[in-house]
Amino acid sequence: MSHQSFASRAVHGSQGHDPHTGALSFPIYQTSTYVNAEDDWPYCYSRVQNPTREELEKTAALLEEGDDGFAFASGLAAVLACFSLTQAGDHILISDDVYGGTYRLIETIWKRYNVEFTYVDMGDLAAVKAAFRPETKMVFIETPTNPMMKVADIAALSALAKEHGAVCVVDNTFLTPYYQRPIPLGADVVIHSATKFLAGHHDTMAGLIVTKGAELAEKMRLFVKTEGTGLSPFDSWLTLRGIKTLSVRMDKHQQNAVAAADFLQNHPKVERVYFVGLPGHPGYEINRKQSSGFGGMISFSLKSSAGVEKVLRAGEMILFAESLGGVETLITYPMTQTHASIPKELREKQGITDRLLRLSVGIEDTGDILRDLEKMLSLAE
């Protein structure tokens, strides 16, 4: 299927249909165990592998242009599997405004295993170079970051990681493989909170990892089998179904986000807009070089924190909720939601203040989104 477009590959997936029954919608194999029909039968127990999960994993690898895929119970379970590639005494470089759940995983759990982390601005190559140590084994990048929308040069950072014998991991949740494919740019591992744009309907939780090379794949298989973090058959099916419309949805997300960003940057109560699709964004050119789109995520800061609570709850269609990437437009308050686990001084150093809001732009009518934003911002002070 390599000659087909991304949109066609997303619709048909790895196999296109169930080869055993001809079912066009790949079946939900809701079973825990299997009769071993042959000596080399690949299925024995669903913690190890399940046909529905396997179809999702192969589809993810196909779309990301990697070698193998692995589906997990959540995005954080996938992050956990990535960190499991390291061992005591290792050092990891990680984006300085990484998702708050990842930060919590590092600070409350992973550091007890004697793995050290250094938070660094991945957009500053000199700072990244200076942060490497002999024991650095991983470079973990979000691009664009959540919520400050910083952009990192994937090819340059992948090359740096290889020079130092480190694995380069890229969280591709915001742009998805429709707009950005880190593995052809040199990354070793791509990670997704598939709960977001890939599943796309706020109805399931899932994480995905795509790897390059046999060695990393073998390790990931061991983690799934041993830690028991693999995705359930039903959630695998929901994610597969969501991926079928990924290209159509992402184009609409982006169309609406461009309009919303333009509206916000011209609004008198908005101080600054963080959207990689704006030519004035510091990472605009790098993003254009390595990606084919800008996605649907915007953060913006108000000129005053007064009235923030009213703004968040005033939407008729835009809903105050914590997630992102679904068909509905959501507004989030990172300070108390996604990044509440990060100490106040560190949050504010990154710009995650009491004036910062994050918008996951949905696929509703563009005019309706803008009218709702106007109504909400009228309550800002």
Side-chain angles (χ1 to χ4, degrees):
M1 297 178 70
S2 60
H3 64 286
Q4 294 181 355
S5 69
F6 181 96
S8 297
R9 294 198 300 272
V11 167
H12 290 277
S14 172
Q15 297 187 79
H17 61 275
D18 179 24
H20 301 296
T21 65
L24 190 58
S25 174
F26 201 90
I28 303 168
Y29 282 89
Q30 193 63 47
T31 184
S32 64
T33 194
Y34 310 79
V35 174
N36 283 226
E38 303 165 13
D39 289 342
D40 59 348
W41 194 243
Y43 309 109
C44 61
Y45 193 53
S46 276
R47 173 165 47 79
V48 180
Q49 189 52 284
N50 174 279
T52 316
R53 189 172 85 218
E54 185 177 45
E55 174 65 9
L56 172 60
E57 292 171 338
K58 289 183 175 179
T59 297
L62 176 71
L63 298 181
E64 282 286 6
E65 299 181 30
D67 293 328
D68 290 276
F70 304 88
F72 297 85
S74 69
L76 275 173
V79 174
L80 174 65
C82 282
F83 289 167
S84 295
L85 292 169
T86 62
Q87 56 187 357
D90 286 349
H91 174 238
I92 297 176
L93 298 178
I94 193 162
S95 297
D96 58 355
D97 67 329
V98 72
Y99 165 57
T102 303
Y103 178 89
R104 183 177 59 247
L105 177 64
I106 292 167
E107 297 295 327
T108 64
I109 296 176
W110 207 255
K111 280 190 171 180
R112 74 176 68 161
Y113 302 133
N114 195 29
V115 175
E116 290 194 57
F117 293 79
T118 297
Y119 300 96
V120 60
D121 181 354
M122 292 292 174
D124 185 343
L125 286 177
V128 177
K129 288 179 182 177
F132 271 96
R133 305 177 190 171
E135 62 270 23
T136 302
K137 301 300 181 186
M138 180 177 290
V139 179
F140 190 105
I141 307 161
E142 282 185 12
T143 184
T145 61
N146 177 13
M148 300 311 298
M149 310 299 163
K150 293 181 182 179
V151 175
D153 188 327
I154 296 171
L157 290 167
S158 298
L160 267 178
K162 283 180 173 57
E163 286 176 21
H164 290 82
V167 172
C168 183
V169 178
V170 179
D171 186 328
N172 199 27
T173 297
F174 275 15
L175 290 186
T176 81
Y178 180 58
Y179 285 139
Q180 178 172 271
R181 288 182 285 281
I183 286 176
L185 294 169
D188 301 294
V189 179
V190 177
I191 188 169
H192 288 273
S193 174
T195 307
K196 311 305 193 296
F197 288 105
L198 293 180
H201 292 79
H202 294 136
D203 59 6
T204 189
M205 296 189 70
L208 282 170
I209 284 176
V210 175
T211 56
K212 183 73 175 176
E215 183 180 352
L216 287 172
E218 231 12 76
K219 290 178 179 178
M220 285 296 166
R221 284 192 192 94
L222 176 65
F223 299 153
V224 173
K225 173 182 177 178
T226 307
E227 295 176 341
T229 51
L231 190 61
S232 74
F234 184 57
D235 288 320
S236 296
W237 181 83
L238 283 171
T239 307
L240 275 169
R241 186 177 66 166
I243 287 172
K244 288 178 181 291
T245 60
L246 179 64
S247 62
V248 179
R249 288 186 288 104
M250 290 306 294
D251 282 341
K252 184 60 175 176
H253 283 301
Q254 177 167 280
Q255 176 192 334
N256 285 343
V258 168
D262 183 62
F263 169 83
L264 289 167
Q265 71 173 348
N266 290 294
H267 198 282
K269 294 182 180 179
V270 174
E271 180 181 61
R272 185 173 177 184
V273 178
Y274 304 86
F275 176 57
V276 296
L278 292 174
H281 187 285
Y284 178 79
E285 292 301 332
I286 293 174
N287 191 80
R288 279 179 61 92
K289 179 185 74 171
Q290 65 190 17
S291 310
S292 60
F294 311 119
M297 296 302 301
I298 301 171
S299 290
F300 62 98
S301 56
L302 299 174
K303 290 181 178 177
S304 170
S305 60
V308 163
E309 183 75 16
K310 293 179 182 177
V311 171
L312 289 168
R313 299 187 184 278
E316 179 180 340
M317 185 180 70
I318 298 174
L319 305 172
F320 178 31
E322 189 163 342
S323 194
L324 62 97
V327 293
E328 299 91 354
T329 299
L330 302 181
I331 192 163
T332 299
Y333 198 30
M335 185 185 80
T336 62
Q337 292 181 304
T338 58
H339 289 68
S341 299
I342 299 178
K344 183 174 184 287
E345 63 274 13
L346 292 180
R347 285 200 313 263
E348 294 190 345
K349 182 180 178 182
Q350 295 301 327
I352 306 170
T353 68
D354 60 358
R355 294 178 290 115
L356 185 78
L357 309 178
R358 192 192 71 190
L359 198 66
S360 174
V361 185
I363 66 169
E364 304 98 335
D365 177 80
T366 308
D368 288 341
I369 293 173
L370 299 184
R371 279 187 289 274
D372 220 19
L373 281 173
E374 180 62 61
K375 174 192 170 188
M376 296 164 73
L377 289 173
S378 71
L379 300 176
E381 298 179 20

